[in-house]
Amino acid sequence: EQVSTAKSEAKAEKARADEAVTRAEKAELIPESLLAGTFEGSYSNSNITVLRSGAFQSCTNLTEVNCPNVTILGSNAFSGCSNLTEANFPKVEYIGGAVFNNSGVKEFTVPETFISRDLPDGSTNENSSTFIGIKKLILKCPNVPYKIFYNAATLEEVIFDEGVEKLGHILFFQTTKIKYMYLRCHFGGIFFYYKIFLQPLEHFGFL
């Protein structure tokens, strides 16, 4: 019983410490005006490595974000940022659900570093739409993950860039508006998806 109590107290203490770190990170790295949804203009920060869920949500005056060292984008990070048109994350590894939903970002590049739609904290995005709101998606990651386009209802164009080597399963499930698909990579697996799932495509070719 004493061991169990000690473990519970240690767990609670860790939770308090994690919460304090979170508050400190936000206070140090993210302007208060941004947290309040009133941040205006462009935002650059090379110190941030994690953008937590909803970090920029509803910042309607945010126009551009450049965070070159971010590796984790939490769910809804830019949801509702209607005037945001540029979002650059060249080292992102994990992207949560609905990151750009109802934002002004219509084109996004998934870099070579990308690993998964499931976040390292254990939260899963299996049945959520990671790229809803995006119209054009450029993929550079070697392994294109399972269900990456799931329910991406706005997606119209996909480019599989150089470096793509492997496709996950059920890529285009409930993705109905894709019209254009292009390849810069050299593998044949995409033809299976094209023939079986994407016959309504208006254009399919190599760049």
Side-chain angles (χ1 to χ4, degrees):
E1 185 176 345
Q2 290 180 342
V3 173
S4 178
T5 301
K7 286 184 178 180
S8 296
E9 291 176 351
K11 186 176 181 179
E13 180 60 32
K14 184 180 185 303
R16 287 193 292 269
D18 288 345
E19 184 179 356
V21 168
T22 299
R23 289 197 302 269
E25 285 177 348
K26 286 186 175 182
E28 180 181 356
L29 299 175
I30 301 179
E32 183 178 350
S33 60
L34 190 153
L35 296 175
T38 59
F39 187 88
E40 297 184 11
S42 61
Y43 179 73
S44 297
N45 196 320
S46 60
N47 295 317
I48 291 179
T49 58
V50 176
L51 279 178
R52 300 181 186 277
S53 296
F56 292 76
Q57 190 167 12
S58 299
C59 290
T60 56
N61 293 319
L62 183 67
T63 57
E64 181 178 355
V65 173
N66 183 29
C67 296
N69 293 311
V70 161
T71 58
I72 300 172
L73 280 178
S75 299
N76 296 295
F78 301 101
S79 178
C81 296
S82 55
N83 288 304
L84 177 66
T85 57
E86 295 286 337
N88 301 303
F89 301 98
K91 295 183 180 178
V92 70
E93 298 176 2
Y94 301 92
I95 303 177
V99 171
F100 299 107
N101 190 29
N102 294 320
S103 80
V105 177
K106 302 306 176 188
E107 179 178 329
F108 186 73
T109 298
V110 180
E112 296 90 338
T113 52
F114 181 67
I115 297 172
S116 176
R117 299 189 310 129
D118 296 332
L119 301 179
D121 63 4
S123 58
T124 178
N125 295 295
E126 180 176 350
N127 294 315
S128 67
S129 176
T130 296
F131 295 109
I132 190 167
I134 298 295
K135 289 188 175 182
K136 180 178 179 180
L137 197 63
I138 302 170
L139 294 117
K140 296 176 176 286
C141 50
N143 297 313
V144 178
Y146 165 83
K147 275 188 174 181
I148 190 172
F149 305 117
Y150 179 81
N151 202 26
T154 56
L155 191 60
E156 296 180 356
E157 181 177 349
V158 176
I159 296 176
F160 292 90
D161 214 334
E162 292 178 347
V164 174
E165 299 173 356
K166 184 179 179 181
L167 300 179
H169 299 296
I170 323 180
L171 286 184
F172 301 103
F173 185 60
Q174 293 188 4
T175 304
T176 59
K177 292 188 177 180
I178 295 179
K179 298 178 181 178
Y180 311 100
M181 183 175 295
Y182 303 102
L183 306 182
R184 286 197 183 100
C185 52
H186 301 285
F187 69 97
I190 191 63
F191 290 105
F192 171 78
Y193 290 95
Y194 171 58
K195 183 177 180 181
I196 303 299
F197 298 110
L198 293 169
Q199 289 180 347
L201 279 176
E202 292 184 13
H203 197 272
F204 177 84
F206 293 86
L207 298 176

